[in-house]
Each structure stands twice: as C-alpha cells, then as structure tokens.
Amino acid sequence: MASEDADENVNRGTGGTGGTDPTGSADDAVAPADGPVDPRVAAAEAAGPGNGETVRVDSWIWAVRLIKTRSLGAAACRGGHVHVNGERVKPAYSVRVGDEVRLRHEGRERVVIVKRLIRKRVGAPVAVQCYIDNSPPPPPREAIAPAGLRDRGTGRPTKRDRRDMERLRGLKPPGFSSGMSGQEGRPRGR
C-alpha cells in the first residue's frame, strides 16, 4: 500500500497521469511545472468546471479580475472588444485552457493566455496564476493627461479661456453663437 502511494507520487513528479485518472487531465500536467498550487486557486478550480467542461468568456474575464463586473464583461463582448484566438466572441463563448484572450478596456489592450479555468472571482494574487499576461506595457501617465488642466493656484478659467478650451475639444465651432439676437427669443407682452 505504501509502495503504491510512492509510485503515484513519482508519476506525478515526472509529469505522468498522476494515479487513477485515465484521462490525464491538463491540471495534473501543468501543476508540476508551475510548482505548488495556491490553496485558494485549488478551491476556485474545485468550484469551477470539471474535466472537459468550459467557462463562459464574460465570466472568466470577470473571475480573473480583467474587468470589474460580469455585466461589463458581457457588454465588452457585445461591443466587439473581446477576441478569443483572433475572433470576436459573444459573452457565452466557451473558453478553454490555452486560448488567447484579447480585451480592450479603458483605453488599454490586455492580451492573456488562459492557464486555468475558474468561475468564482478570486483575489488579485490568485488571479494572476490563472493566466499568462502578454499585454503591452501601459502608456505613461503623462501621455494620457487630460487637456485643459490649469496650474495649481491660478483660479477659475475666464470666459475667454473656457471658449478656447471648448474650441480645442471640438465642442463648439469657432464663431458659434446661440442664434438669439435682439427681440427674437422674447415672448410678446401686453
């Protein structure tokens, strides 16, 4: 009995199927290469899909914290901001281990490869163990500074400053007026 347990441990360490599981699940093949699995990841995987099952893409990107809510994930899919293996996908698309997921959210593109399937949302340290991040680095903060920022202590913008800022933002064309001149907009009195 003890020798069977030792043989099972040897098989797991060399990348074997790991005991009585005839299918040789992907989890057993991945776990030794990654080292020990965090107990929280193991708990999330236990609550997740079984062998051969899949997870919805909107649920998975929410569970691994790429997006704040599942409804935002579904909206991103419907808007064409989520691609799996190069294809636009709907929220109910089934994600599998090894898929490449591209997500465009908040002005940044995230490119991740699915390592583990989970359905429950987990903490950030656990979530990064569920994917391989191949995203380009985020742009520097100076490059994304909003236009129209004033120096501290200069006060409120003048009317002329506001008009210049609106013209820069493209809100009003130059020379735009409200169209109400003189008596046109006044109600007729007695």
Side-chain angles (χ1 to χ4, degrees):
M1 178 100 101
S3 64
E4 290 174 352
D5 291 336
D7 290 339
E8 188 173 284
N9 289 337
V10 168
N11 284 340
R12 284 183 192 258
T14 60
T17 60
T20 59
D21 184 13
T23 60
S25 69
D27 292 340
D28 288 342
V30 173
D34 293 343
V37 177
D38 190 317
R40 294 172 290 191
V41 171
E45 285 179 340
N51 252 353
E53 290 184 30
T54 57
V55 176
R56 289 173 54 116
V57 68
D58 61 342
S59 179
W60 187 81
I61 62 176
W62 165 76
V64 296
R65 306 180 79 84
L66 295 178
I67 210 154
K68 287 186 179 180
T69 65
R70 185 163 168 248
S71 60
L72 279 176
C77 291
R78 284 192 298 273
H81 302 290
V82 178
H83 292 77
V84 176
N85 297 329
E87 293 181 28
R88 274 181 61 179
V89 294
K90 294 182 178 181
Y93 183 85
S94 298
V95 177
R96 293 180 174 82
V97 174
D99 284 348
E100 179 190 62
V101 178
R102 289 181 175 266
L103 168 70
R104 220 175 40 230
H105 181 62
E106 296 178 351
R108 183 173 177 212
E109 184 175 23
R110 301 290 306 265
V111 181
V112 297
I113 297 175
V114 180
K115 245 170 72 172
R116 292 191 173 89
L117 296 177
I118 58 172
R119 284 195 181 126
K120 284 184 164 182
R121 191 166 171 95
V122 293
V126 178
V128 297
Q129 296 179 8
C130 297
Y131 60 85
I132 300 169
D133 195 358
N134 293 334
S135 304
R141 289 190 180 258
E142 299 85 37
I144 57 173
L149 286 182
R150 299 177 57 81
D151 292 331
R152 187 174 176 95
T154 58
R156 291 178 54 175
T158 64
K159 191 169 189 176
R160 183 177 185 175
D161 292 339
R162 284 196 310 269
R163 286 181 181 154
D164 290 342
M165 286 188 287
E166 287 172 352
R167 191 170 39 254
L168 282 173
R169 290 184 187 137
L171 298 177
K172 291 185 180 178
F176 177 79
S177 66
S178 63
M180 305 281 278
S181 62
Q183 302 290 325
E184 293 175 9
R186 296 188 181 179
R188 297 184 190 257
R190 297 184 195 179

